[in-house]
Amino acid sequence: MTFMKALGIEHPIIQAPMAGVTTPEFVAASADAGILGSIGAGYLSAEATRDFIREVKKLTDKPFAVNLFVPEQTEMEQEQLRQAYFALQPIGKKLGMPFWKAPLSEPSFDGQIDVIIEEEVAVCSFTFGLPDETVIQKLKEHNVYLIGTATTVEEAVLVEQAGMDAVVAQGKEAGGHRGSFLGEQLVPLEELLPSIVEAIGIPVIAAGGIANGEHLRHQLSRGAAAVQIGTALLATEESGAHPLYKQAVIDATENNTVLTKAFSGKSARGIRNEFIEMMEGFPIAPYPYQNDLTKKIRSEAAAQSRPEFMSLWAGERVQDTVGGTVKEIVEKFLGDGG
Ligand SMILES: Cc1cc2nc3c(=O)[nH]c(=O)nc-3n(C[C@H](O)[C@H](O)[C@H](O)COP(=O)(O)O)c2cc1C
């Protein structure tokens, strides 16, 4: 079966899973536009994942993907956590909250896997590593199509060896968190895609800085089975990004993105803002603890409409992002290359 048939899509495009940004309308609009819609379920509980899936099913009959964060074991010392909290206090103060509660997040991965099987989700994609063998086996027994994420050739080889059906080659240009799980290396997509295509036999999905039809065709001509686009869809009507986040993306006139660990403890690309600048050189807790520490700050910044303290994830081609509907953006990609 061809790759596109296996995914049930008409066009070789995947709407990037974007935790916190994807809405049921966004995923369904992507599916209805003939591309693969993906739920960014990384931060959701198992029950919230189920509710989200059911909402999408109400809106479309087409298949879609659910994206999960593979959990990792992180050593954490209380003193490190205390210092990281202390470093965030000047930002908290600016938002009128010198102290805030930062409960540690509960693991939800195993429960999410059960939900994916019970809800008969067609595609499951992963970032931040590889699930263990039993999880992969379980999903395969239920015919779930599996997609891993790699930022280097070494990671792509492990994704294939683990039994995944396809891999996302995530270049350094990509917006949001990096899927790296063997240490951070910043490989541009131009270099990463051909080296992965040569090294493995499963379909490779190109991601990172793909902003128009010309980029799409270029990646396909170099052996990509499809592309995964995030930043290009961020400012669409169906996107759940905060209105001021969408505005920042649309207003960007040049690549003003940077990689930062300040929001979550894990490297991610976003528009440079005051939060990132204030945290430079200060202690940061490892993922996922830093994410737990900053959660209240980010939600308070959103409530107060203060984008300078929000995480404005975006990729290196942010200046090309325009508004419109998902369907219009997809048509642009398929049309004249503009
Ligand atoms: C706002 C945002 C959130 C993201 N969240 C996720 C996520 O939850 N899971 C994931 O696998 N990738 C996530 N990514 C990365 C995308 O899957 C993809 O690699 C990236 O968007 C491609 O680069 P581009 O943004 O330049 O198109 C996110 C990207 C953005 C911009």
Side-chain angles (χ1 to χ4, degrees), residues 136 163 190 198 240:
I136 294 179
E190 194 64 18
E198 197 182 303

PDB file of all heavy atoms in Angstrom, residues 136 163 190 198 240:
ATOM      1  N   ILE A 136       4.633  -0.578  21.412  1.00  0.00           N
ATOM      2  CA  ILE A 136       4.640  -0.632  19.945  1.00  0.00           C
ATOM      3  C   ILE A 136       3.880  -1.875  19.467  1.00  0.00           C
ATOM      4  O   ILE A 136       3.043  -1.803  18.558  1.00  0.00           O
ATOM      5  CB  ILE A 136       6.095  -0.606  19.413  1.00  0.00           C
ATOM      6  CG1 ILE A 136       6.713   0.754  19.741  1.00  0.00           C
ATOM      7  CG2 ILE A 136       6.146  -0.894  17.910  1.00  0.00           C
ATOM      8  CD1 ILE A 136       8.140   0.933  19.313  1.00  0.00           C
ATOM      9  N   GLY A 163      10.427  -0.511  14.782  1.00  0.00           N
ATOM     10  CA  GLY A 163       9.241  -1.049  14.113  1.00  0.00           C
ATOM     11  C   GLY A 163       8.218   0.002  13.693  1.00  0.00           C
ATOM     12  O   GLY A 163       7.088  -0.340  13.357  1.00  0.00           O
ATOM     13  N   GLU A 190      17.850  20.461   4.805  1.00  0.00           N
ATOM     14  CA  GLU A 190      18.504  20.254   3.502  1.00  0.00           C
ATOM     15  C   GLU A 190      19.533  19.110   3.563  1.00  0.00           C
ATOM     16  O   GLU A 190      19.716  18.372   2.614  1.00  0.00           O
ATOM     17  CB  GLU A 190      19.182  21.577   3.102  1.00  0.00           C
ATOM     18  CG  GLU A 190      19.630  21.694   1.678  1.00  0.00           C
ATOM     19  CD  GLU A 190      18.494  21.669   0.657  1.00  0.00           C
ATOM     20  OE1 GLU A 190      17.327  21.899   1.016  1.00  0.00           O
ATOM     21  OE2 GLU A 190      18.806  21.402  -0.520  1.00  0.00           O
ATOM     22  N   GLU A 198      18.519   7.974   2.628  1.00  0.00           N
ATOM     23  CA  GLU A 198      19.511   6.988   2.192  1.00  0.00           C
ATOM     24  C   GLU A 198      19.714   5.874   3.233  1.00  0.00           C
ATOM     25  O   GLU A 198      19.939   4.719   2.885  1.00  0.00           O
ATOM     26  CB  GLU A 198      20.839   7.700   1.948  1.00  0.00           C
ATOM     27  CG  GLU A 198      21.794   6.862   1.118  1.00  0.00           C
ATOM     28  CD  GLU A 198      23.111   7.576   0.935  1.00  0.00           C
ATOM     29  OE1 GLU A 198      23.089   8.709   0.418  1.00  0.00           O
ATOM     30  OE2 GLU A 198      24.144   7.006   1.321  1.00  0.00           O
ATOM     31  N   GLY A 240      -5.808  27.123  17.597  1.00  0.00           N
ATOM     32  CA  GLY A 240      -6.162  27.547  18.953  1.00  0.00           C
ATOM     33  C   GLY A 240      -5.140  28.466  19.593  1.00  0.00           C
ATOM     34  O   GLY A 240      -5.228  28.753  20.781  1.00  0.00           O
TER      35      GLY A 240
END
